[in-house]
C-alpha cells in the first residue's frame, strides 16, 4: 500500500506483520511443549490443591462482620501499589528495541503504536489477576463456601484486577509525583471504604459490593487519564527501558537470573566521603555498611518495609503455638528485605570471586561484609516483632523464651539462605543435562530450583523448624542449615573446595 492510502493503524499493523515473520517465531513443537507443561501443572498441582481446599477448613476465615471488607480493601490497595511499582521498572509499553526504533523513526504519533499494545497487555494482565485472585480466595478463604458471597467476591477480584492493570500503565506513563498522589489517594480511599463498609447493614456482601464498585470506578477514571498520557510519553526513557528489558530477558533465558536483576539495581550516589574518617582511614564495618545503605535510599526503604512486617509475622507465627503460614510469610519477608539492606552483599561477592584483585584473606572479608547485613536484618526484625508484642497482636503463650529462640533461629536461617543466593555466579553447565523421567525431561525444574535456591531454602527450612519437637532442636537445626548454606556459598566463589 502507498503512504497516501494507508492510515496510521494500517501502517502499524504492517510493521508488526513484517516483524512477526522474521523467522524466529515459536514453532509448533515449542507450543505443544508449553501446553504439555501447563497440563502437568494443572493435573499434579492445581487439581490436588483445589480438591484439598474444597475438602478442608479455610486457612483464613472471613465470616466475622466486616472482615471480608477489610481484607478486600487491603488486597486491592496492595495490588494497586505493587502494580505501580512494577510499572516503574517494566511497564506494558515496553516493546522490542528494534520495533520501537522503527516506530519512533517514523511520523506516527505514539498513541498509534503504543495504544494497541497497551490495551492488549492490560486485558491480559486484568484477566490473569482476576483468575489468580479467585484462585487465591478459593484456596485460602471461606468466601466461596457460601453461594451468597461468591458473586461479590468475583466482582471484587474483577475490580481489583482492572485497577491493578490500569495502575501498571499509570506507573509507567506518569511522573513519580503523580504515582505518589495515586498511592496516597488509594490508601485513603481504601480506609474510607473500610469504615463505610463496616456501617452498612449487610456488612458481608454489601461491603464486598462497595469495594468492587469503588475499584472499578477508580480503574475507569485512571484508564482515561493514563491513555491520554500516551501522546506525551518520554520516548527516550521508553527506549532505555525496552533495551534494559530485552537484555534482562536474554539473561533470564540463558539461566543467569541474578545478572538480570542486577540491571535493575539503582546506582549508589552521594555520601562517598562519609566512608572515610577525617584522618583518611576507612570507618568501621557497621559504619561502612550504614553509609552504603544511605547511598541507595530506595532499596533501604524497601528493606525497612519488608523487615518490619516480617518481624511482626514471625512474632505471630512463633508465639502461642507456631502457625506455619504466618511463620513462613514472615521468613520470606525477612529474606526479601535482607537483600536490600545495602550493597554489601554485592561487594562481598565481588571480593570473594576476584581474589587476585582483592587478596585471598576471605575470613576478614566475611567479617567486614557480613557485619552490616546481620546487624540490620536482626535490628529490623526485632523492631517489627517488638511492635507486634507491644500491641499484643499475637496471643503469646507462657514461654516467651521459646518464641525469642525460634525467631533468632529463623533469622540465622534467612541469613544463611541469603548468603547462598548472593554468592551465585553463572549457571552450572551440569544443570542443562537432560533429566529423563516418565513425565518427560524435567531438567527445567533443576534450573528453577537453582534460580530460587535461597527462597526454597527459607520455605523448606521454616517447615523443618515448625516440625521440630522443641525450640532448642529447631535452633540447632537452623544453625546446621545455615552452616551448610555458608559452606555451599563459599564453594560457589571458589574460596573453599
Amino acid at each position: 500500500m502507498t503512504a497516501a492510502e494507508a492510515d496510521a493503524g494500517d501502517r502499524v499493523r504492517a510493521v508488526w506483520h513484517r516483524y512477526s515473520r522474521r523467522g524466529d517465531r515459536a514453532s509448533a513443537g515449542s507450543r505443544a511443549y508449553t501446553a504439555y507443561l501447563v497440563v502437568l501443572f494443572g493435573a499434579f498441582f492445581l487439581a490436588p490443591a483445589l480438591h484439598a481446599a474444597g475438602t478442608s477448613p479455610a486457612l483464613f476465615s472471613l465470616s466475622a462482620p466486616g472482615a471480608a471488607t477489610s481484607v478486600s480493601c487491603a488486597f486491592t490497595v496492595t495490588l494497586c501499589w505493587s502494580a505501580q511499582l512494577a510499572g516503574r521498572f517494566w511497564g506494558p509499553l515496553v516493546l522490542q528495541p528494534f520495533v520501537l526504533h522503527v516506530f519512533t523513526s517514523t511520523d506516527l504519533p505514539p498513541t498509534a503504536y503504543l495504544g494497541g499494545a497497551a490495551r492488549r497487555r492490560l486485558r491480559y494482565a486484568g484477566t490473569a489477576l482476576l483468575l489468580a485472585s479467585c484462585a487465591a480466595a478459593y484456596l485460602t478463604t471461606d468466601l466461596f463456601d457460601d453461594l451468597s458471597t461468591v458473586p461479590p467476591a468475583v466482582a471484587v477480584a474483577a475490580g481489583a484486577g482492572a485497577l491493578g492493570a490500569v495502575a501498571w500503565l499509570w506507573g509507567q506513563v506518569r511522573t513519580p509525583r503523580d504515582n505518589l498522589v495515586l498511592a496516597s489517594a488509594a490508601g485513603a480511599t481504601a480506609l474510607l471504604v473500610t469504615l463505610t463498609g463496616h456501617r452498612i447493614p449487610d456488612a458481608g456482601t454489601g461491603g464486598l459490593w462497595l469495594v468492587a464498585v469503588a475499584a472499578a470506578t477508580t480503574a475507569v477514571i485512571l484508564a482515561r487519564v493514563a491513555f491520554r498520557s500516551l501522546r506525551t510519553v518520554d520516548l527516550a526513557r521508553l527506549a532505555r527501558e525496552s533495551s534494559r528489558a530485552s537484555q534482562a530477558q536474554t539473561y533470564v533465558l540463558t539461566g543467569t537470573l541474578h545478572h538480570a536483576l542486577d540491571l535493575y539495581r539503582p546506582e549508589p550516589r552521594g555520601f562517598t566521603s562519609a566512608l572515610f574518617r577525617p584522618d583518611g582511614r576507612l570507618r568501621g564495618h557497621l559504619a561502612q555498611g550504614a553509609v552504603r545503605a544511605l547511598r541507595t535510599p530506595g532499596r533501604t526503604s524497601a528493606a525497612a518495609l519488608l523487615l518490619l512486617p516480617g518481624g511482626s509475622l514471625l512474632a505471630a507465627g512463633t508465639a502461642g503455638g507456631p502457625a506455619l503460614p504466618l511463620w513462613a510469610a514472615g521468613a520470606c519477608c525477612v529474606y526479601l528485605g535482607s537483600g536490600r539492606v545495602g550493597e554489601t552483599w554485592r561487594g562481598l561477592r565481588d571480593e570473594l570471586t576476584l581474589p587476585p584483585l582483592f587478596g585471598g584473606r576471605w575470613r576478614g572479608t566475611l567479617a567486614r561484609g557480613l557485619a552490616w547485613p546481620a546487624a540490620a536484618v536482626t535490628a529490623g526484625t526485632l523492631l517489627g516483632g517488638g511492635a507486634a508484642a507491644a500491641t499484643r497482636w499475637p496471643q503469646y503463650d507462657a514461654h516467651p523464651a521459646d518464641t525469642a529462640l525460634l525467631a533468632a533461629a529463623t533469622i540465622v536461617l534467612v541469613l544463611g539462605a541469603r548468603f547462598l543466593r548472593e554468592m551465585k555466579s553463572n549457571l552450572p553447565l551440569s544443570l542443562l543435562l537432560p533429566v529423563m523421567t516418565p513425565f518427560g525431561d524435567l531438567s527445567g525444574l533443576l534450573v528453577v530450583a537453582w534460580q530460587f535456591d535461597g527462597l526454597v531454602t527459607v520455605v523448606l527450612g521454616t517447615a523443618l523448624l515448625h516440625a521440630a519437637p522443641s525450640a532448642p532442636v529447631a535452633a540447632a537445626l537452623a544453625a546446621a542449615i545455615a552452616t551448610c548454606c555458608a559452606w555451599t556459598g563459599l564453594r560457589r566463589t571458589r574460596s573453599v573446595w
Side-chain angles (χ1 to χ4, degrees):
M1 64 185 69
T2 62
E5 297 174 350
D7 59 2
D10 294 333
R11 295 163 65 188
V12 170
R13 284 189 292 270
V15 172
W16 279 112
H17 180 69
R18 293 295 298 270
Y19 181 73
S20 64
R21 299 176 64 86
R22 64 194 183 278
D24 58 349
R25 291 182 297 176
S27 62
S30 62
R31 295 193 183 96
Y33 184 69
T34 302
Y36 170 71
L37 293 180
V38 171
V39 171
L40 282 182
F41 174 80
F44 292 97
F45 179 78
L46 187 59
L50 294 177
H51 176 72
T55 57
S56 61
L59 191 61
F60 300 102
S61 178
L62 301 180
S63 58
T69 304
S70 302
V71 172
S72 300
C73 286
F75 170 76
T76 303
V77 72
T78 303
L79 185 61
C80 178
W81 291 342
S82 302
Q84 286 182 260
L85 186 60
R88 297 301 301 175
F89 295 96
W90 195 319
L93 301 183
V94 171
L95 304 177
Q96 290 294 330
F98 173 75
V99 179
L100 184 62
H101 173 71
V102 171
F103 283 133
T104 55
S105 300
T106 64
D107 60 339
L108 291 172
T111 54
Y113 53 86
L114 295 179
R119 292 184 184 90
R120 182 174 60 256
R121 294 179 178 181
L122 291 190
R123 285 196 297 267
Y124 294 158
T127 303
L129 290 175
L130 169 63
L131 297 177
S133 302
C134 290
Y138 181 81
L139 293 174
T140 59
T141 67
D142 55 356
L143 288 177
F144 287 84
D145 294 344
D146 189 2
L147 293 178
S148 62
T149 58
V150 172
V154 174
V156 169
L163 179 59
V166 174
W168 185 34
L169 176 62
W170 182 280
Q172 185 178 21
V173 300
R174 304 295 294 188
T175 62
R177 178 181 178 182
D178 294 338
N179 277 276
L180 290 176
V181 171
L182 175 59
S184 303
T189 303
L191 181 60
L192 179 62
V193 171
T194 301
L195 296 177
T196 306
H198 282 240
R199 295 187 178 185
I200 59 179
D202 189 5
T205 59
L208 292 177
W209 283 116
L210 181 61
V211 175
V213 171
T217 304
T218 307
V220 171
I221 297 174
L222 293 180
R224 292 179 60 87
V225 179
F227 277 100
R228 288 180 179 177
S229 302
L230 292 181
R231 62 173 64 94
T232 60
V233 68
D234 188 355
L235 296 178
R237 184 173 69 88
L238 183 58
R240 293 192 298 269
E241 291 179 357
S242 299
S243 177
R244 182 174 59 178
S246 178
Q247 187 177 0
Q249 190 175 13
T250 302
Y251 279 140
V252 170
L253 294 177
T254 56
T256 51
L257 181 61
H258 62 287
H259 288 162
L261 295 177
D262 285 345
L263 295 175
Y264 290 91
R265 287 178 179 266
E267 292 293 335
R269 55 186 179 182
F271 299 102
T272 304
S273 59
L275 292 170
F276 300 90
R277 294 189 176 97
D279 57 359
R281 294 182 298 137
L282 282 172
R283 296 188 182 274
H285 299 339
L286 290 178
Q288 288 185 48
V291 171
R292 289 173 179 171
L294 292 177
R295 298 187 67 194
T296 54
R299 290 176 58 84
T300 306
S301 301
L305 293 177
L306 288 168
L307 290 176
L308 296 178
S312 301
L313 292 173
L314 277 182
T318 57
L324 182 57
L326 294 178
W327 193 350
C332 290
C333 287
V334 175
Y335 170 78
L336 295 176
S338 64
R340 292 166 172 80
V341 294
E343 293 296 312
T344 312
W345 291 113
R346 196 178 187 182
L348 178 62
R349 182 184 67 192
D350 293 340
E351 291 191 41
L352 291 178
T353 53
L354 300 174
L357 179 61
F358 294 101
R361 299 181 59 184
W362 57 270
R363 296 177 181 84
T365 302
L366 287 178
R368 180 174 65 254
L370 295 178
W372 168 252
V377 170
T378 303
T381 307
L382 292 180
L383 284 177
T391 57
R392 299 185 180 275
W393 172 42
Q395 299 297 324
Y396 288 94
D397 56 8
H399 304 285
D402 291 344
T403 300
L405 187 58
L406 290 175
T410 307
I411 294 175
V412 172
L413 171 66
V414 166
L415 290 175
R418 174 55 64 178
F419 183 82
L420 175 68
R421 183 255 179 270
E422 294 296 338
M423 297 302 108
K424 193 160 37 180
S425 58
N426 295 324
L427 178 71
L429 185 61
S430 59
L431 294 181
L432 300 180
L433 298 177
V435 180
M436 302 309 299
T437 66
F439 306 105
D441 182 12
L442 299 182
S443 58
L445 295 179
L446 297 180
V447 177
V448 172
W450 184 84
Q451 298 281 17
F452 302 98
D453 53 359
L455 190 60
V456 171
T457 302
V458 169
V459 174
L460 295 181
T462 303
L464 291 177
L465 298 186
H466 178 265
S470 62
V473 174
L477 186 59
I481 296 175
T483 302
C484 293
C485 291
W487 182 261
T488 305
L490 290 175
R491 291 194 62 182
R492 286 179 173 179
T493 60
R494 305 296 191 270
S495 297
V496 296
W497 298 93

